Amino acid sequence: MKLIQQNVLFLRRYRFISTVRAASRRKDYQNFIAIHERLFGEIHGVNQFLPWHRWFLLELENILRKVDERVSIPYWDWSLYSGSPWGQGVSMIFYH
């Protein structure tokens, strides 16, 4: 069972990375990245950052789904690591 779960996680990661690579050649993705670059200094650190970032990730996911509708952005449950996000080890955070 553990091997099957590892294979499923590997396939999901592979699909996600492949989709991002394919999307990076699309004009809508490139425009999206340009928005982030342009607004980086203005949006980070302001009160509207969290709702803006939630919208931003949703838009990114929508672009990725134009390439492969099976892809979603992995969810990071920050509450599990909020006290010490890097103290648990990188593998715990990204492969939990």
Side-chain angles (χ1 to χ4, degrees), residues 6 8 17-18 21 30 35-36 38 41 54 67 69 90:
Q6 289 175 339
V8 168
I17 291 167
S18 297
R21 286 182 175 165
Q30 294 165 3
I35 290 170
H36 188 264
R38 190 176 69 246
R54 183 177 293 248
V67 175
E69 69 274 356
V90 172

Side-chain angles (χ1 to χ4, degrees), residues 5-78:
Q5 287 176 325
Q6 289 175 339
N7 287 340
V8 168
L9 289 175
F10 173 80
L11 292 173
R12 285 181 183 167
R13 280 188 221 112
Y14 182 82
R15 180 180 297 134
F16 180 80
I17 291 167
S18 297
T19 302
V20 170
R21 286 182 175 165
S24 71
R25 295 185 290 273
R26 295 174 53 98
K27 189 67 174 167
D28 54 354
Y29 180 87
Q30 294 165 3
N31 290 338
F32 185 78
I33 296 303
I35 290 170
H36 188 264
E37 290 172 348
R38 190 176 69 246
L39 295 178
F40 188 87
E42 297 174 35
I43 197 67
H44 292 85
V46 300
N47 291 339
Q48 297 84 2
F49 174 72
L50 291 178
W52 179 85
H53 198 263
R54 183 177 293 248
W55 166 83
F56 194 78
L57 290 176
L58 177 61
E59 289 300 310
L60 173 59
E61 190 170 67
N62 289 336
I63 291 170
L64 295 177
R65 285 184 173 168
K66 290 178 183 177
V67 175
D68 186 338
E69 69 274 356
R70 299 170 294 175
V71 168
S72 61
I73 294 179
Y75 174 75
W76 179 51
D77 187 352
W78 66 271

Side-chain angles (χ1 to χ4, degrees), residues 1-6:
M1 185 65 165
K2 182 100 171 147
L3 183 60
I4 292 171
Q5 287 176 325
Q6 289 175 339

Side-chain angles (χ1 to χ4, degrees), residues 81 85-96:
Y81 309 100
W86 303 111
Q88 301 292 329
V90 172
S91 63
M92 285 269 313
I93 292 173
F94 293 107
Y95 302 110
H96 183 53

